[in-house]
Amino acid sequence: MNAHAFTSDVAFTPTVKAIQARKGSRQSYARVEERGGWQSAITPDLAAFIEVQTSVFLSTANGDGQPYIQHRGGPAGFLKVLDEKTIGFADFSGNKQFVTQGNLADNPRAFLFLIDYMMRQRIKIWGTARVVENDAGLTARLMPPDYKARPEQVILFTVSAWDANCPQHIPQRFEAADVAAALGERDRRIQDLEQEVARLKGVSGAGAKQ
């Protein structure tokens, strides 16, 4: 159960609020708190955003508070919303350092950061996470079909609160596959136009000879 007065208290500690007050932003955030704070359940819009992402950053901290951020990627859909509080994904085999797993064993608090550079959107999600090993059924459910990676285990993330940031200062970037598709479509259109120009020139030339 969330022991905070507001969901946003997961990030807005008394120290943070004091700094906000000193720097002039506390009043606007207090209004957000009066309206109930950040959302604590996954909405349909958030679920749609999550399930098209190909990249996510997972932050954990060990028992001493030392933070660690790990990137996880896969095809669109590798992040799955299992219910309004739970996000799951297959944890693919990598360098076998297991820092994230060790951190979660000592401290289950975790944080997900998702950013869509093309749409210039970012979502911050606070919660807890746990590693699930040796669950073939859950692994099969979360493993992207036909993806050439070996699942090591599963990570389940339970949402406590989430917030969407404004697009300010996010550089707009595009996925290589999307750019390739757009260029391919452009090239096909150019080819069609060139063929049409050649056809019209042929018709014009034939008419001039008559």
Side-chain angles (χ1 to χ4, degrees), residues 40-169:
S40 60
I42 300 171
T43 63
D45 285 345
L46 177 59
F49 180 87
I50 290 171
E51 293 192 336
V52 298
Q53 300 310 305
T54 58
S55 178
V56 66
F57 295 94
L58 172 63
S59 176
T60 58
N62 63 23
D64 293 329
Q66 175 63 48
Y68 180 73
I69 296 177
Q70 187 168 51
H71 172 264
R72 280 291 178 257
F78 89 99
L79 288 174
K80 293 194 183 331
V81 174
L82 302 180
D83 57 49
E84 68 173 10
K85 298 290 289 184
T86 311
I87 302 165
F89 61 93
D91 193 24
F92 308 131
S93 181
N95 58 19
K96 295 187 178 295
Q97 291 183 346
F98 302 118
V99 177
T100 293
Q101 184 170 1
N103 286 356
L104 291 175
D106 291 337
N107 177 4
R109 293 188 182 120
F111 177 84
L112 290 177
F113 185 82
L114 298 95
I115 185 164
D116 185 326
Y117 287 101
M118 185 175 71
M119 302 304 295
R120 300 180 68 232
Q121 294 178 318
R122 52 187 168 180
I123 300 289
K124 303 178 295 186
I125 308 176
W126 286 263
T128 58
R130 62 189 178 95
V131 174
V132 179
E133 297 179 292
N134 304 315
D135 188 327
L138 182 60
T139 301
R141 180 182 177 188
L142 295 176
M143 186 65 193
D146 303 320
Y147 188 58
K148 297 187 182 305
R150 187 177 74 80
E152 180 86 39
Q153 53 207 5
V154 161
I155 292 181
L156 296 180
F157 186 98
T158 302
V159 176
S160 297
W162 65 273
D163 183 41
N165 274 113
C166 71
Q168 189 176 23
H169 307 305

Side-chain angles (χ1 to χ4, degrees), residues 149-202:
R150 187 177 74 80
E152 180 86 39
Q153 53 207 5
V154 161
I155 292 181
L156 296 180
F157 186 98
T158 302
V159 176
S160 297
W162 65 273
D163 183 41
N165 274 113
C166 71
Q168 189 176 23
H169 307 305
I170 299 178
Q172 191 169 43
R173 299 173 180 170
F174 299 90
E175 294 286 340
D178 294 334
V179 173
L183 292 176
E185 180 59 31
R186 181 206 62 181
D187 292 344
R188 284 190 292 273
R189 180 60 178 157
I190 290 173
Q191 186 178 38
D192 290 343
L193 289 172
E194 288 176 341
Q195 290 173 350
E196 180 65 9
V197 168
R199 185 187 71 79
L200 292 173
K201 282 183 176 179

